[in-house]
């Protein structure tokens, strides 16, 4: 009603007056006090404005513009960071409120909030030389991104798109040399989660559809590490990427009654084993060999059980005794073979 409009109007005028005072006396000790008072009154005005939709939109728009104009005029340092972040938060609230006023659902309002987060991230990049302002702005942008993802979480398709957009934004941040390591990892993780969410939304249950993108990301990274540093072991370079696809596929193959998956997995494992032996790399040799052996045991187990069941009962103990005799008679030779194998494996990387 009218009382709320008057109260909000007076509060907004008071915010503008306090911000003007904070700018005018920016070198005076009263400047931070005026800014703190402006923030407190702005919070109160926002709370009062929530009673009326139109008043909410006007109040948030005025606050966003006022703090945005006050930011470059304020004293460089924490005060400028506070006003810039306050403007970004008001803009984020305005985006959500405007989406609700237009009748948008939560997953649709998420993209308006993400848009504010991306713009805030761009402003932080433009101000990157002023770390006191840029870092808080980046944190505000991340908070807006998290809020957008939370709003989109109820719809897998929208959530996948939101994750992909955040991944692209993180990739753009990774172009900066001072943000490259961690922003690149975050971008890869977000894009991978976007892929998984899209597959889940499409009701795809094949594990390889989820694991192969992981290997496609990790294996090139491992290759680059090996090229830059010859001392990196194959376990560190290729182990995570190979295990990410081989192990889930092995679990699926053991529970799969059909033959295509075990055949393909066995073929790939055989190729990895041969490649590891040829290139003297331990990770593909052992991982490929182990998976190949387990696939073979699983596929041959029913036939071996039939053969054992058809033989007389004394055959199994007899074969076990013969095996023990052979091992005992050639113990020294087997021990030397084991030592040679250990030496050969220790030379691989």
């Amino acid at each position: 009603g009218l009382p709320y409009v008057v109260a909000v109007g007076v509060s907004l005028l008071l915010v503008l007056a306090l911000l003007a005072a904070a700018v005018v006396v920016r070198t005076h000790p009263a400047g931070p006090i005026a800014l703190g008072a402006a923030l407190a009154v702005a919070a109160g005005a926002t709370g009062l404005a929530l009673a009326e939709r139109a008043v909410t939109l006007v109040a948030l728009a005025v606050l966003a513009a006022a703090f945005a104009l006050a930011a470059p005029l304020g004293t460089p340092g924490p005060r400028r960071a506070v006003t810039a972040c306050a403007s970004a938060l008001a803009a984020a609230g305005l985006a959500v409120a405007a989406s609700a006023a237009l009748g948008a659902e939560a997953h649709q309002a998420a993209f308006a909030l993400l848009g504010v987060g991306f713009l805030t991230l761009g402003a932080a990049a433009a101000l990157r030389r002023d770390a006191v302002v840029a870092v808080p702005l980046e944190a505000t942008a991340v908070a807006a991104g998290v809020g957008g993802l939370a709003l989109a979480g109820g719809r897998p398709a929208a959530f996948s798109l939101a994750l992909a957009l955040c991944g692209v934004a993180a990739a753009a941040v990774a172009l900066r040399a001072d943000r490259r390591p961690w922003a690149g990892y975050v971008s890869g993780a977000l894009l991978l989660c976007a892929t998984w969410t899209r597959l889940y939304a499409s009701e795809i249950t094949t594990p390889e559809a989820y694991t192969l993108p992981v290997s496609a990301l990790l294996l090139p990274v491992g290759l680059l590490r090996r090229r830059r540093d010859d001392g990196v072991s194959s376990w560190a370079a290729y182990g995570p990427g190979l295990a990410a696809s081989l192990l889930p596929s092995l679990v699926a193959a053991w529970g799969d009654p059909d033959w295509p998956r075990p055949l393909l997995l066995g073929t790939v494992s055989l190729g990895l084993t041969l490649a590891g032996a040829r290139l003297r790399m331990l990770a593909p040799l052992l991982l490929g060999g182990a998976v190949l052996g387990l696939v073979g045991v699983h596929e041959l187990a029913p036939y071996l059980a039939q053969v054992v069941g058809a033989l007389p009962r004394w055959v199994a103990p007899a074969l076990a005794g013969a095996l023990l005799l052979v091992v005992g008679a050639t113990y020294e030779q087997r021990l030397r073979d084991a030592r040679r194998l250990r030496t050969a494996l220790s030379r691989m990387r």
Side-chain angles (χ1 to χ4, degrees):
L2 184 60
Y4 284 108
V5 175
V6 174
V8 172
V10 172
S11 298
L12 292 178
L13 291 176
L14 183 56
V15 170
L16 296 177
L18 289 170
L19 284 177
V23 170
V24 171
V25 297
R26 57 184 180 178
T27 58
H28 192 274
I33 298 176
L35 179 58
L39 291 172
V41 176
T46 304
L48 289 173
L50 294 177
E52 297 287 341
R53 178 176 297 177
V55 180
T56 301
L57 296 176
V58 172
L60 290 173
V62 171
L63 290 174
F67 281 106
L69 291 175
L73 299 176
T75 303
R79 265 189 272 176
R80 181 172 292 178
V82 170
T83 50
C85 291
S87 175
L89 290 174
L94 177 61
V96 175
S99 299
L102 294 174
E105 298 184 17
H107 70 278
Q108 296 170 329
F111 294 99
L113 184 55
L114 287 177
V116 174
F118 297 156
L119 291 176
T120 305
L121 202 59
L127 299 171
R128 60 184 178 274
R129 293 184 179 179
D130 187 358
V132 177
V133 178
V135 173
L137 270 181
E138 286 180 347
T140 306
V142 171
V146 172
L149 292 176
L151 289 176
R155 297 289 184 90
F159 188 55
S160 173
L161 179 58
L163 285 170
L165 292 175
C166 291
V168 172
V173 174
L175 296 176
R176 294 169 49 185
D178 58 334
R179 295 289 186 266
R180 189 164 298 147
W182 64 265
Y185 298 144
V186 171
S187 174
L190 288 172
L191 293 175
L192 180 62
C193 291
T195 303
W196 284 350
T197 307
R198 181 68 261 180
L199 292 172
Y200 172 77
S202 302
E203 299 182 353
I204 295 175
T205 57
T206 304
E208 288 79 9
Y210 296 86
T211 59
L212 288 177
V214 180
S215 298
L217 289 172
L218 294 179
L219 291 177
V221 173
L223 179 61
L224 291 176
R225 287 189 64 188
R226 292 270 291 185
R227 285 186 175 180
R228 292 180 179 179
D229 185 2
D230 293 336
V232 176
S233 67
S234 62
W235 282 112
Y238 305 122
L242 294 175
S245 290
L246 290 177
L247 299 183
S249 296
L250 176 63
V251 174
W254 273 52
D256 193 345
D258 297 326
W259 59 268
R261 178 181 278 117
L263 177 61
L264 291 175
L265 182 59
T267 303
V268 171
S269 301
L270 176 61
L272 288 173
T273 304
L274 296 176
R278 175 68 178 82
L279 300 175
R280 303 181 65 82
M281 291 191 297
L282 201 56
L285 174 64
L286 295 185
L287 281 174
V291 172
L292 178 62
L294 291 173
V295 170
V297 168
H298 179 264
E299 295 304 309
L300 294 176
Y303 303 102
L304 293 176
Q306 292 179 4
V307 172
V308 172
L311 293 175
R313 294 184 179 180
W314 57 267
V315 173
L319 290 176
L323 180 61
L324 290 175
L325 288 174
V326 171
V327 171
T330 59
Y331 175 76
E332 294 295 334
Q333 180 62 35
R334 300 287 76 79
L335 190 59
R336 287 193 294 270
D337 293 340
R339 288 172 178 169
R340 283 198 295 268
L341 177 61
R342 185 181 63 183
T343 302
L345 293 176
S346 64
R347 292 175 181 173
M348 294 184 177
R349 296 195 310 186

